[in-house]
Amino acid sequence: MVEITVFASRVDGAGVLENLRDNGAIAVVFSQPSTHRTVQMKGDGVAVAPATAADLETVERCCAAMAAELTSVGYGTVFAHQLLACEPQDVVAVRFVPECAFDQTPGPRAGAPLAALRRDDLAWRRRALALLLAGLALGLLLPLLNAYTQPRGQ
């Protein structure tokens, strides 16, 4: 069984985390900016917990990889690193077992279910890991973007 972990800011993602705790369902989108390859995964039974030391090492590696990805599509290095910066004590791990997955890459297959989701399949694990690298950083990025899109004073 494959378990997916995304990371979020305890502070900036407070509303999202509250919703996850209330209903236990999640839909996460992982996208690679340089190719636009995008996958959506859905699952139930979400567990939210403080990030472990191993989690924080993963976050550091994934943020570095996502910063490189962002700079490859034209964002400045300083901007990319600042956008993905996080305080270790603010990071929480959101874990779930995906029940279904969909291709969300722009084009004619967008929305199509991915071939049988076999969680014991090595190829599935590799695809999930590759997408997770971008998704982990994205999980840190979304609450930050949400915070910047809220009207002032809220």
Side-chain angles (χ1 to χ4, degrees):
M1 168 179 357
V2 172
E3 182 179 72
I4 302 294
T5 303
V6 291
F7 299 98
S9 163
R10 181 186 328 263
V11 174
D12 294 332
V16 171
L17 294 170
E18 181 180 341
N19 290 338
L20 291 172
R21 286 184 183 106
D22 284 349
N23 69 30
I26 189 168
V28 182
V29 175
F30 303 102
S31 186
Q32 184 177 24
S34 62
T35 65
H36 300 294
R37 182 170 181 209
T38 306
V39 171
Q40 179 187 51
M41 294 182 183
K42 296 181 180 183
D44 289 316
V46 171
V48 179
T52 66
D55 288 336
L56 294 174
E57 289 175 14
T58 300
V59 168
E60 189 174 321
R61 282 191 318 273
C62 290
C63 283
M66 186 60 150
E69 179 74 18
L70 290 172
T71 58
S72 79
V73 295
Y75 290 96
T77 302
V78 172
F79 173 80
H81 285 280
Q82 287 178 339
L83 187 63
L84 299 167
C86 58
E87 295 296 326
Q89 68 274 10
D90 186 43
V91 178
V92 295
V94 178
R95 302 183 203 290
F96 70 100
V97 174
E99 298 298 325
C100 57
F102 302 89
D103 183 348
Q104 295 295 357
T105 303
R109 291 201 27 85
L114 292 180
L117 181 62
R118 292 187 48 217
R119 291 181 223 127
D120 60 341
D121 178 17
L122 182 59
W124 161 253
R125 289 182 192 180
R126 287 185 181 144
R127 285 191 304 272
L129 180 60
L131 291 166
L132 187 58
L133 291 177
L136 291 176
L138 190 61
L140 292 169
L141 179 65
L142 291 178
L144 180 65
L145 290 176
N146 187 44
Y148 283 103
T149 58
Q150 296 298 316
R152 296 252 185 238
Q154 287 192 2

